[in-house]
DNA sequence: CTTGAAAATAGACACCA
DNA sequence: TGGTGTCTATTTTCAAG
């Protein structure tokens, strides 16, 4: 865990909403010079607080109009098999392993009901699945340090 | 939906893994000149395919060692109330509205079991909840256009 | 879309508070 | 740690082919 002050927290919040803000621009917003901001960001990266920068893509704009979540109940022995399977299915963009009955939670972005059906059928070979359509994904919030809350 | 070729798809994949790649660097990887890459990215942004750029943060490094998902069953009438509640709880970083029994799926990053308990108790005022701990979140995969699959 | 040049900007460094 | 000033590297934008 990293020792954070409120300036670091502000920088993290800003970079989570716009990962392309320059050090100079960040400095303007948190009242710090560009080199000071650069140094802080470098420290946050080195410490593993910032793990990377990613572009966000709208799946629907790529024709992936169906967003679903699948819960899978499987056995402990099948976990490696399951992970290999998820890896091969490009429509599965997110995988959580959960407590409970050896459960996985998967995000699926599919281009058609037929594609979704195929994914569900494939995953269901490993155990019982529960599939729900995502009617709406609300904009994610920034992860903030506990002090801020 | 946006008309995409394989170069656009490659650019999207690269930017999803590193949102700070420069146009020149992207051009080197997809064999395109830097201005051509800039133009394509601009088009993808204008078309809403690229919705933004975000820094990824490791919640554990901020002391948020507990990652849980909460499913909530509530009534249709309480949906606005629920959304307002989720908005106020900083530990809830992600909200999906699901089909099925008026259900929400929430991601929670909490600093302690006590904090998680408080979140669960708060959310549970709206209806029955199921809470699971996330033992492991696998690295998300890039969203890719159907042609690539 | 490419090349080439110009203008703008960002990031890195040294030095001082 | 942070601020200022500067220098360099890099980026983006624009013109022309």
């Amino acid at each position: 865990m990293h020792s954070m002050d409120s300036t670091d927290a502000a920088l993290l919040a800003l970079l989570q909403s716009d990962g392309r803000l320059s050090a100079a621009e960040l400095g303007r917003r948190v009242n710090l010079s560009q080199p000071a901001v650069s140094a802080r960001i470098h420290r946050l990266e080195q410490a593993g607080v910032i793990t990377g920068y990613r572009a966000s893509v709208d799946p629907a704009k790529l024709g992936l109009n169906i967003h679903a979540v699948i819960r899978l109940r499987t056995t402990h022995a099948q976990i490696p098999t399951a992970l290999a399977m998820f890896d091969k299915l490009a429509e599965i963009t997110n995988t959580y392993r959960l407590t409970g009955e050896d459960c996985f939670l998967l995000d699926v972005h599919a281009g058609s009901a037929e594609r979704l059906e195929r994914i569900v059928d494939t995953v269901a070979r490993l155990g019982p699945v529960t599939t729900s359509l995502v009617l709406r994904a609300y904009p994610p919030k920034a992860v903030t340090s506990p002090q801020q809350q």
Side-chain angles (χ1 to χ4, degrees), chain A:
Chain A
M1 176 171 163
H2 190 250
S3 101
M4 297 257 309
D5 62 13
S6 62
T7 304
D8 280 338
L11 292 174
L12 285 181
L14 288 165
L15 284 172
Q16 284 179 89
S17 76
D18 184 353
R20 287 204 148 176
L21 288 170
S22 68
E25 179 58 31
L26 289 167
R28 265 168 243 133
R29 306 210 192 171
V30 303
N31 293 314
L32 222 61
S33 68
Q34 173 263 313
V37 171
S38 292
R40 279 174 179 266
I41 291 174
H42 192 243
R43 267 177 256 142
L44 289 166
E45 289 169 348
Q46 291 303 310
V49 178
I50 294 174
T51 58
Y53 301 87
R54 330 216 167 280
S56 301
V57 167
D58 181 351
K61 290 280 167 50
L62 299 181
L64 301 167
N65 292 298
I66 298 179
H67 181 188
V69 292
I70 300 179
R71 275 183 301 137
L72 167 67
R73 286 186 57 175
T74 187
T75 60
H76 192 84
Q78 277 178 305
I79 289 176
T81 313
L83 291 173
M85 175 189 285
F86 303 156
D87 207 50
K88 280 196 207 114
L89 296 168
E91 287 96 337
I92 297 179
T93 55
N94 224 304
T95 303
Y96 286 167
R97 184 173 165 203
L98 303 181
T99 56
E101 314 90 354
D102 287 319
C103 209
F104 284 103
L105 181 64
L106 310 172
D107 266 81
V108 180
H109 289 278
S112 66
E114 290 71 25
R115 267 314 281 186
L116 176 61
E117 178 184 35
R118 206 184 124 172
I119 306 291
V120 171
D121 287 350
T122 306
V123 172
R125 282 193 232 129
L126 298 171
V129 299
T130 307
T131 305
S132 306
L133 286 183
V134 177
L135 294 175
R136 163 110 78 137
Y138 293 89
K141 276 189 286 195
V143 175
T144 59
S145 61
Q147 300 94 296
Q148 308 291 305
Q149 296 165 12

